[in-house]
Amino acid sequence: MAKNKDNYYVKLANRIYDLDQKALDATGSSLGRVFSGEREKNIKDIVLNITADKQSYTFRAELAAIANMIRTIPEKKTKSALLREYNDILMDIKKKGSGFNSVEIINEQVAGLNATNFSSGKRSKDDHLIICISRSHSSAGSDIGFALADNLKINFYDTDVLKNVMTRMNQEKDLEWLEEKDAVFLRHADRVRKSKSGHLREFSRFHGLPSADAEFFNISKFLCEIAHTEDFVVVGRCADAILANNHIPHVSIYITAPADIRARHLMQTEQISSFRKAMKIIAKTDAKHEAYYHRYTGRIWGYAGNYDLCLNSSSYGIEESVEVIKRIIKDPQD
Amino acid sequence: MAKNKDNYYVKLANRIYDLDQKALDATGSSLGRVFSGEREKNIKDIVLNITADKQSYTFRAELAAIANMIRTIPEKKTKSALLREYNDILMDIKKKGSGFNSVEIINEQVAGLNATNFSSGKRSKDDHLIICISRSHSSAGSDIGFALADNLKINFYDTDVLKNVMTRMNQEKDLEWLEEKDAVFLRHADRVRKSKSGHLREFSRFHGLPSADAEFFNISKFLCEIAHTEDFVVVGRCADAILANNHIPHVSIYITAPADIRARHLMQTEQISSFRKAMKIIAKTDAKHEAYYHRYTGRIWGYAGNYDLCLNSSSYGIEESVEVIKRIIKDPQD
């Protein structure tokens, strides 16, 4: 370390040590100061922490403790003067790119496709707003999706709507659009086998693909097409993975609630009288979703790290879930 | 069903059937209409769906398909006229409390404590803003919490800050505040046993509690106290469960990212050269967090249904995570 850089850190350490004393003086806190003991030793430790190669949470915690103490100062003028000094110190630590050694976690590939990441600045004004909702069984995720589309006045697609569209499009015609990039899906899909006769019949019909896969690819093709022409909410069908795989920006939201609350919800919607039975149905349906998602994406369904956001519908309810999603998707610049 | 109520539904069914035809006429869609086949049979089916006791996703999907078709009408006047008619129909279905049979998922107890549920209307202006962040290892959740507190100019507490505070408070003194309501925690905590001599020594020191539990209860007491006097961000320490247990409104956010991205992040922050080693550390640390959380709360750590919200830090990055949380906690009425 160069000599003047060294001096810089010693100066910074002294400012931190002094700020701690000033905060103590102004609060008269019975807790005592954060940096107790001999000045020289503390300065040395602070310099070591600022210049450390590894993350120094302890040091950051010490600074936070000083700031917390400052915020309890009753006298406003002293309080704001010390908070200003604290912010200056924080800025200086950040500017030098040293200090807490906080390292960005962002993944450019993932973030580049996140339609609600407004600071990534990669979204074009031509991009359509696409909201993908995955949901656990009986979490009212589908109701939230429908209410959201209705509120935003944009199109709504779920399994039933898509099946409706597919039937009307007479999906048996063509699968020629099946391209190289879709091969990744096939790796996860090649374990499905039908009965021999059914398999043979469907072989010619779907160019060798089982019908479930044909449906998946048709829906995939349809979603990618409409993504270029309209805003929409889509519930289920691995839409998040389909769009990511095709480099189409969107926001992926997983909606769930504690299993017991979902079971009670299911008892109401499906008129089931036994709580145990409702719990069983939920576990079984979730497992089916999980298998479907894993088969076509190779990813773990319901794992928070796979989505941009997760929402607890029992904590927001249908109406406020719509509102919180609207707050999230709104570009603060608009 | 009363006769005039019956008439009402037949009329509604006819309006829906006609809207479908009008949409088809205006788009000239090659897909054909949603309700194909004989009019009488369709009307009967629609009435059955509207008046069904169970959730009728299929019917809702049919309506959505009509709306999607209407939104593609190029001629603006026809389009808005038909969308108005669609909205009127939707309103009529909702007003009668029939139709899709969408049932609220909200849990009053959970929602009543959610500080970002602005429609529950239960928050008092005196409530302080408390943001609880749980995070998987190396998801930068702690960095996000620190940056958020800094941005909002409110206090920040994480394990290190709290330990600092506890040390200064000389926590050995009193545990008399331990009340009945905390007993629920004890049920999950009674399996921890220390070495015989250590156990005996700590028995008298912490009124029979192992030191880890004493620390937990002290932190719990501290958090509940400051919750009445200040706004803050707290990272870890089961703060969400502690506050919920004490009926203190807050928002609980779980921050995570895919394991491989977290491993690469850890390699940078901790200067680890082996990806495999980083993955191992992450799995091990997550398991430790999971055990701690389960021991004191009986709940599953990292399960999205246990938090109000989850955030994928690799999709937002530190700075935009702060921004998205700020968008969520902002009362739209303010």
Side-chain angles (χ1 to χ4, degrees):
Chain A
M1 202 185 302
K3 186 72 191 163
N4 62 339
K5 213 177 168 191
D6 210 11
N7 268 339
Y8 171 84
Y9 290 123
V10 173
K11 258 187 206 157
L12 195 56
N14 273 292
R15 279 168 66 198
I16 294 167
Y17 185 85
D18 291 340
L19 183 65
D20 184 25
Q21 185 61 52
K22 284 181 215 160
L24 179 65
D25 292 345
T27 53
S29 165
S30 60
L31 295 178
R33 52 183 303 166
V34 175
F35 297 107
S36 57
E38 215 188 309
R39 180 181 192 109
E40 284 314 305
K41 197 193 164 311
N42 270 299
I43 299 293
K44 227 183 222 165
D45 284 349
I46 297 172
V47 170
L48 270 177
N49 273 320
I50 304 179
T51 55
D53 283 333
K54 293 190 178 189
Q55 261 189 319
S56 41
Y57 284 125
T58 320
F59 174 53
R60 193 179 66 184
E62 286 164 342
L63 278 187
I66 296 176
N68 293 353
M69 185 154 64
I70 294 174
R71 289 195 192 93
T72 65
I73 297 173
E75 211 259 300
K76 281 201 172 173
K77 220 176 121 189
T78 315
K79 181 176 165 178
S80 67
L82 294 191
L83 273 180
R84 256 201 315 278
E85 168 71 355
Y86 168 75
N87 283 330
D88 283 350
I89 288 172
L90 228 54
M91 282 299 176
D92 274 0
I93 293 172
K94 274 185 205 160
K95 239 188 298 178
K96 289 280 154 179
S98 56
F100 321 127
N101 252 310
S102 145
V103 171
E104 191 44 89
I105 180 83
I106 204 162
N107 179 290
E108 293 302 333
Q109 214 183 330
V110 178
L113 292 174
N114 178 355
T116 60
N117 185 338
F118 297 106
S119 67
S120 81
K122 272 171 192 153
R123 243 157 28 99
S124 130
K125 285 279 167 203
D126 303 327
D127 285 337
H128 285 277
L129 173 65
I130 302 169
I131 302 165
C132 301
I133 292 180
S134 305
R135 79 291 179 214
S136 58
H137 193 49
S138 201
S139 65
S142 187
D143 297 325
I144 292 165
F146 187 77
L148 180 68
D150 191 41
N151 187 300
L152 295 170
K153 311 248 170 278
I154 62 177
N155 283 352
F156 173 77
Y157 299 96
D158 66 0
T159 307
D160 291 316
V161 180
L162 286 168
K163 275 196 178 146
N164 192 312
V165 173
M166 290 304 123
T167 312
R168 289 152 75 211
M169 281 175 87
N170 195 0
Q171 88 261 43
E172 297 165 36
K173 279 181 197 156
D174 63 314
L175 269 169
E176 291 108 56
W177 50 271
L178 191 62
E179 286 164 28
E180 190 61 32
K181 66 179 158 45
D182 297 306
V184 64
F185 284 134
L186 283 174
R187 266 188 288 142
H188 304 289
D190 63 1
R191 262 154 283 158
V192 194
R193 285 294 156 249
K194 294 244 167 189
S195 73
K196 215 165 189 181
S197 66
H199 179 63
L200 280 174
R201 192 177 63 244
E202 292 198 321
F203 185 87
S204 59
R205 197 165 156 204
F206 298 119
H207 299 244
L209 286 176
S211 71
D213 294 340
E215 186 195 76
F216 178 83
F217 287 117
N218 278 318
I219 288 176
S220 169
K221 185 194 177 197
F222 175 75
L223 289 176
C224 292
E225 274 173 7
I226 59 172
H228 295 295
T229 59
E230 62 177 66
D231 297 354
F232 61 87
V233 173
V234 55
V235 174
R237 300 290 99 183
C238 308
D240 52 342
I242 289 171
L243 293 169
N245 197 44
N246 287 279
H247 311 290
I248 297 169
H250 61 282
V251 57
S252 63
I253 303 175
Y254 179 74
I255 295 176
T256 191
D260 58 327
I261 295 176
R262 292 190 278 133
R264 290 191 201 290
H265 181 251
L266 190 68
M267 287 167 76
Q268 281 184 274
T269 54
E270 297 296 320
Q271 319 242 296
I272 298 164
S273 54
S274 152
F275 176 73
R276 253 188 81 184
K277 193 183 163 198
M279 283 293 276
K280 263 190 193 165
I281 293 172
I282 277 180
K284 216 173 143 182
T285 317
D286 279 356
K288 231 171 70 186
H289 273 132
E290 199 176 329
Y292 182 89
Y293 191 81
H294 188 261
R295 178 164 155 237
Y296 287 111
T297 70
R299 303 200 301 189
I300 298 164
W301 180 79
Y303 173 63
N306 282 337
Y307 309 90
D308 296 321
L309 286 156
C310 304
L311 219 77
N312 180 347
S313 54
S314 72
S315 181
Y316 286 101
I318 295 172
E319 193 192 326
E320 183 70 8
S321 289
V322 169
E323 291 305 320
V324 82
I325 294 171
K326 280 174 71 184
R327 294 205 285 279
I328 291 162
I329 61 175
K330 195 178 172 338
D331 189 336
Q333 301 297 320
D334 287 345
Chain B
M1 200 185 305
K3 185 75 189 163
N4 62 339
K5 212 178 170 191
D6 210 11
N7 268 342
Y8 171 83
Y9 290 123
V10 172
K11 255 186 210 161
L12 196 55
N14 272 294
R15 279 169 66 200
I16 294 166
Y17 186 84
D18 290 341
L19 183 65
D20 184 25
Q21 184 62 52
K22 283 181 215 158
L24 179 64
D25 291 345
T27 53
S29 166
S30 61
L31 295 178
R33 52 183 302 166
V34 174
F35 296 106
S36 56
E38 215 189 310
R39 181 180 192 109
E40 284 314 306
K41 196 190 165 306
N42 270 300
I43 299 293
K44 227 184 223 165
D45 285 349
I46 296 173
V47 170
L48 271 178
N49 273 320
I50 301 179
T51 56
D53 282 334
K54 293 191 178 189
Q55 261 189 319
S56 42
Y57 283 127
T58 320
F59 174 53
R60 194 179 66 185
E62 286 165 341
L63 278 188
I66 296 176
N68 293 353
M69 185 155 63
I70 294 174
R71 290 196 191 92
T72 66
I73 297 173
E75 211 259 300
K76 280 198 174 174
K77 222 175 120 187
T78 316
K79 181 177 166 179
S80 66
L82 295 191
L83 273 181
R84 255 200 315 279
E85 167 71 356
Y86 168 74
N87 283 330
D88 282 350
I89 288 172
L90 226 55
M91 282 298 175
D92 275 0
I93 293 173
K94 273 184 205 162
K95 240 188 294 179
K96 290 279 153 181
S98 56
F100 322 127
N101 252 308
S102 146
V103 170
E104 189 45 86
I105 180 84
I106 203 162
N107 179 289
E108 293 301 334
Q109 213 182 330
V110 179
L113 292 174
N114 177 358
T116 60
N117 185 337
F118 297 106
S119 67
S120 81
K122 270 171 195 155
R123 244 156 29 99
S124 128
K125 285 278 167 201
D126 303 328
D127 285 337
H128 285 276
L129 173 64
I130 303 169
I131 302 165
C132 300
I133 292 180
S134 305
R135 78 291 178 217
S136 58
H137 192 51
S138 201
S139 66
S142 187
D143 296 325
I144 291 166
F146 186 77
L148 180 67
D150 190 42
N151 187 301
L152 296 170
K153 311 248 170 279
I154 62 178
N155 282 352
F156 173 77
Y157 298 97
D158 66 1
T159 308
D160 291 316
V161 180
L162 286 167
K163 276 196 178 146
N164 193 313
V165 172
M166 290 303 123
T167 312
R168 288 152 75 210
M169 280 175 89
N170 195 1
Q171 87 261 44
E172 296 165 38
K173 280 181 196 154
D174 64 314
L175 269 168
E176 289 107 59
W177 51 271
L178 192 60
E179 286 164 29
E180 191 61 33
K181 68 180 157 47
D182 297 306
V184 63
F185 284 134
L186 282 173
R187 267 188 287 142
H188 303 290
D190 64 0
R191 262 153 283 157
V192 193
R193 286 295 156 248
K194 294 242 168 192
S195 73
K196 215 166 189 180
S197 66
H199 179 63
L200 280 173
R201 192 179 61 243
E202 293 198 320
F203 184 86
S204 58
R205 196 166 155 201
F206 298 121
H207 301 246
L209 287 176
S211 71
D213 294 338
E215 185 195 77
F216 179 83
F217 288 117
N218 277 319
I219 288 175
S220 169
K221 186 195 177 198
F222 175 76
L223 288 177
C224 293
E225 275 173 7
I226 60 171
H228 295 295
T229 59
E230 61 177 64
D231 297 355
F232 60 89
V233 173
V234 54
V235 174
R237 301 291 101 183
C238 309
D240 51 342
I242 289 171
L243 293 169
N245 197 44
N246 288 279
H247 311 290
I248 298 169
H250 62 281
V251 58
S252 63
I253 302 175
Y254 179 73
I255 295 176
T256 191
D260 58 327
I261 295 176
R262 293 190 279 132
R264 289 190 203 288
H265 181 250
L266 190 69
M267 287 167 75
Q268 281 184 275
T269 54
E270 297 296 319
Q271 319 243 295
I272 297 164
S273 54
S274 152
F275 176 73
R276 255 188 80 185
K277 193 183 161 196
M279 283 294 276
K280 264 191 193 165
I281 293 172
I282 277 178
K284 216 173 141 182
T285 317
D286 279 355
K288 232 170 71 187
H289 273 132
E290 200 177 328
Y292 182 88
Y293 190 80
H294 188 260
R295 177 163 157 237
Y296 288 110
T297 70
R299 304 200 301 190
I300 298 163
W301 179 79
Y303 173 63
N306 282 336
Y307 309 90
D308 296 321
L309 286 156
C310 303
L311 218 77
N312 180 346
S313 54
S314 72
S315 181
Y316 285 101
I318 296 172
E319 194 192 326
E320 183 71 8
S321 290
V322 169
E323 292 304 319
V324 82
I325 294 171
K326 280 175 69 182
R327 294 205 286 278
I328 290 162
I329 61 176
K330 196 181 171 338
D331 189 336
Q333 302 297 320
D334 286 345

